[in-house]
Amino acid sequence: MTPIERLRAIMAALRNPETGCPWDLEQDMRSIVPHTIEEAYEVADAVERGEIDDIRDELGDLLFQAIFLARLAEEQGWFDFDAVADAISDKLVRRHPHVFAARGAARPDPNTVTETWEAIKARERASAGGSQPTSELDNIPVALPALQRAEKIGKRAGRVGFDWPDVTGVFAKLDEEVGELKVALASAGDTGSDAAVQAEAGDVLLTAVSLCRHAGVSAERALREANSRFSERFRRAERFAADAGVSLGELDSEDLESLWQRAKAAK
């Protein structure tokens, strides 16, 4: 029995109506999806931390989610895990003609590979759409985290020229959106809860994601790293304050700024 066969057998046992696990038997696709998303983030976290054992374990948890969902589909008579593996294998072969079809051809550069990949995906989307009108923005999952979805939307729109020619235009647009947010905040008074404020704040964030894209930076990764840096420095500032016998909440803005600069400089 291969490791995958063993895992599938364990999954089948968990879902056995008579002897299976009560919790596993209660689950359906909708209830499992949040766990799948969580496990994907835990893989990303393990990779960021560079913990090899954790990467292995988290990949196992994510694989189990795929096995679980495939098992639920199999019970409905839709498809099984073999069909999932076959589908992704067919897709990978289809989208890598430079590897599986063009024997002996010159090896393309990464940019050409990306262009070919996107062109094939576009043809697949058009084909899947049948006679219905299709959009460049089709098949971008609504359930994606907003930052990742913004990145994908920007890339798709940019492929048909709906984009700034260079980063200068994005900076100008960001300045414009920040100005509009200031106006909305002033109009909303002290609450800042006006719908216009939310809309303008969203435009600022969307433009900032475009700025990252033009700078060749992943907005998702940049924000994750910024979160980590801030958290590390904030905890350091908390320790410094505790060493001085105070809490951050007891300090005025000047002392907080001084402590923050010290935390940033510390290693």
Side-chain angles (χ1 to χ4, degrees):
M1 181 180 290
T2 67
I4 286 293
E5 289 171 337
R6 182 183 177 216
L7 184 56
R8 292 178 67 181
I10 290 171
M11 183 73 258
L14 292 172
R15 289 285 296 180
N16 185 296
E18 296 180 359
T19 59
C21 170
W23 185 89
D24 290 277
L25 287 169
E26 283 187 347
Q27 305 311 308
D28 58 21
M29 284 194 168
R30 290 183 180 274
S31 68
I32 288 298
V33 163
H35 299 284
T36 308
I37 294 171
E38 180 180 342
E39 295 299 350
Y41 277 115
E42 291 184 2
V43 170
D45 178 65
V47 170
E48 289 290 334
R49 291 184 284 107
E51 296 289 344
I52 305 304
D53 289 344
D54 287 352
I55 294 172
R56 179 201 61 213
D57 291 346
E58 298 301 346
L59 281 173
D61 291 343
L62 185 57
L63 175 60
F64 179 68
Q65 296 300 307
I67 293 286
F68 204 146
L69 288 165
R71 175 68 192 189
L72 293 171
E74 183 178 358
E75 291 173 3
Q76 295 294 324
W78 298 340
F79 54 81
D80 61 9
F81 186 77
D82 286 341
V84 173
D86 281 339
I88 185 58
S89 295
D90 290 344
K91 182 186 294 184
L92 290 171
V93 170
R94 187 170 64 248
R95 293 184 180 178
H96 291 83
H98 54 288
V99 175
F100 300 104
R103 301 295 182 184
R107 193 173 188 179
D109 61 74
N111 288 335
T112 301
V113 171
T114 300
E115 290 171 3
T116 300
W117 175 279
E118 295 297 342
I120 293 171
K121 286 177 64 177
R123 290 199 297 270
E124 291 172 354
R125 288 196 301 272
S127 176
S131 59
Q132 297 299 318
T134 59
S135 167
E136 285 292 328
L137 304 184
D138 284 349
N139 301 319
I140 299 177
V142 176
L144 278 178
L147 197 61
Q148 286 181 292
R149 190 160 185 258
E151 287 184 295
K152 287 185 176 291
I153 288 172
K155 287 179 181 178
R156 291 275 188 90
R159 287 212 303 263
V160 294
F162 198 86
D163 201 0
W164 295 272
D166 54 47
V167 73
T168 303
V170 195
F171 273 116
K173 183 63 175 176
L174 185 59
D175 288 341
E176 176 189 329
E177 296 297 352
V178 169
E180 292 178 1
L181 176 57
K182 289 178 179 178
V183 171
L185 280 167
S187 300
D190 296 330
T191 64
S193 60
D194 189 273
V197 173
Q198 180 165 304
E200 297 300 343
D203 289 345
V204 169
L205 291 172
L206 188 63
T207 307
V209 171
S210 293
L211 181 60
C212 289
R213 177 167 51 84
H214 275 265
V217 172
S218 164
E220 180 72 21
R221 181 171 183 178
L223 186 55
R224 282 204 310 269
E225 292 178 354
N227 286 338
S228 295
R229 284 195 305 274
F230 179 87
S231 297
E232 181 180 345
R233 291 167 179 172
F234 187 84
R235 289 189 175 97
R236 195 178 293 149
E238 286 178 317
R239 291 196 299 271
F240 290 158
D243 290 343
V246 296
S247 68
L248 293 183
E250 298 176 271
L251 301 177
D252 60 26
S253 58
E254 184 176 338
D255 288 336
L256 282 172
E257 178 61 24
S258 176
L259 199 63
W260 181 253
Q261 292 304 323
R262 182 184 168 198
K264 285 177 64 177
K267 299 295 182 183

